[in-house]
Amino acid sequence: MSAENSSAGMDPTAVDLVRADGTAGALWQAWTTGERIAALPELLRPRSLAEGFTAQGRLSERAGPSYGWKLAATAPAGQAHIGVDAPLPGALFERFRHSPGDVVPSDDLHMAVAEAEFAFVMGAPVGAGATREELRAAVAAVHGAVELPESRFTDFVAAGAPSLMADAACAGRFVLGPELPGALDLDLAATPTTLQVDDEQAAGSGAAVLGDPWTALAWLADVLPGYGLRLEAGAVVTTGTTTVPMPVHRGARVRASFGDDLGAVEFTLSP
């Protein structure tokens, strides 16, 4: 991560935790009311990614159980769009979890985009510095997935990386598709993806995700220990969009397909 996050491994002080709790409270009010924040008050605005992650932890206490991680800004265009030089990790919350075929609520759409992603399900914990072989051995399965990211900021581009980190890296609704057979042995960077919303579609591949979704997974495994955490068995990790994000709307039909008929994720948004 960037130098801005060099203090990530430092234990927050009591004052830091009080500040983080205030930050989380302001964000949680936006989460629960549907109101958007132009910017956090200066006294509550995280000054570093480390402070943002501490606030995210306090937000997680309010949002409820999580089951893994999402990575925001794993494509160069996405990083340039929000002014960061590395991805941002955010918790995947059970409250936003959906299954293929669901009618996914659309009354809280603000960013209003869908993203086709490769997601890993961990079979064993893994720490920083894992080799590629160790990382592969720790993964139980690869799935196709669709994320509907969301921000509590009126203009998430202008919010800044620390505030976005506090806001769970634009955590939104998430649909985990079926396991992609044989994907553990595939070159995911070269595996094509297609995202279709109604009659519009975009094509991409795993190469859009830091060059390879496995690279994104390794990045998360390396970064989490700096925050006193690790990538645990059972965690789902969705690694970022493989195509340009596609606009969605109420009632939209969404379908993401992966590889040469490896599998697909389909659902509709509520009208």
Side-chain angles (χ1 to χ4, degrees):
M1 301 184 78
S2 64
E4 181 188 22
N5 196 45
S6 59
S7 62
M10 297 175 62
D11 293 331
T13 66
V15 172
D16 291 334
L17 292 175
V18 170
R19 176 188 175 96
D21 199 60
T23 303
L27 287 167
W28 183 242
Q29 182 175 350
W31 279 48
T32 53
T33 65
E35 297 176 1
R36 302 296 160 184
I37 301 173
L40 287 165
E42 185 174 354
L43 288 175
L44 299 179
R45 198 174 304 155
R47 296 161 295 184
S48 67
L49 293 180
E51 288 190 357
F53 195 86
T54 300
Q56 183 183 140
R58 292 302 209 196
L59 180 66
S60 297
E61 295 173 4
R62 295 164 166 84
S66 62
Y67 59 96
W69 299 94
K70 60 154 291 180
L71 294 178
T74 51
Q79 292 180 8
H81 191 51
I82 61 174
V84 298
D85 59 5
L88 300 176
L92 286 174
F93 294 109
E94 288 284 356
R95 67 190 298 120
F96 295 137
R97 186 174 189 170
H98 299 278
S99 300
D102 283 357
V103 176
V104 176
S106 64
D107 55 345
D108 54 356
L109 291 177
H110 175 59
M111 292 177 67
V113 294
E115 300 179 347
E117 309 195 0
F118 287 104
F120 297 98
V121 177
M122 304 304 299
V126 64
T131 66
R132 193 173 185 90
E133 291 72 25
E134 290 169 337
L135 197 65
R136 284 182 178 270
V139 171
V142 182
H143 293 241
V146 174
E147 185 188 8
L148 301 168
E150 194 54 88
S151 175
R152 273 48 66 173
F153 291 100
T154 305
D155 184 355
F156 71 93
V157 175
S163 289
L164 292 178
M165 179 78 96
D167 194 29
C170 299
R173 301 192 181 278
F174 180 69
V175 183
L176 183 67
E179 180 180 351
L180 303 178
L184 285 171
D185 298 318
L186 286 179
D187 179 357
L188 293 183
T191 300
T193 61
T194 302
L195 178 61
Q196 183 170 345
V197 179
D198 294 334
D199 296 325
E200 301 294 324
Q201 69 177 32
S205 73
V209 183
L210 292 183
D212 189 333
W214 286 101
T215 301
L217 183 66
W219 180 90
L220 181 64
D222 285 344
V223 164
L224 285 179
Y227 295 114
L229 302 171
R230 70 172 180 175
L231 198 49
E232 299 287 359
V236 174
V237 180
T238 192
T239 53
T241 189
T242 60
T243 73
V244 294
M246 290 285 289
V248 295
H249 55 84
R250 291 174 181 263
R253 303 183 313 277
V254 180
R255 184 180 194 275
S257 57
F258 299 85
D260 296 324
D261 201 30
L262 283 177
V265 182
E266 298 184 65
F267 61 93
T268 58
L269 290 171
S270 63

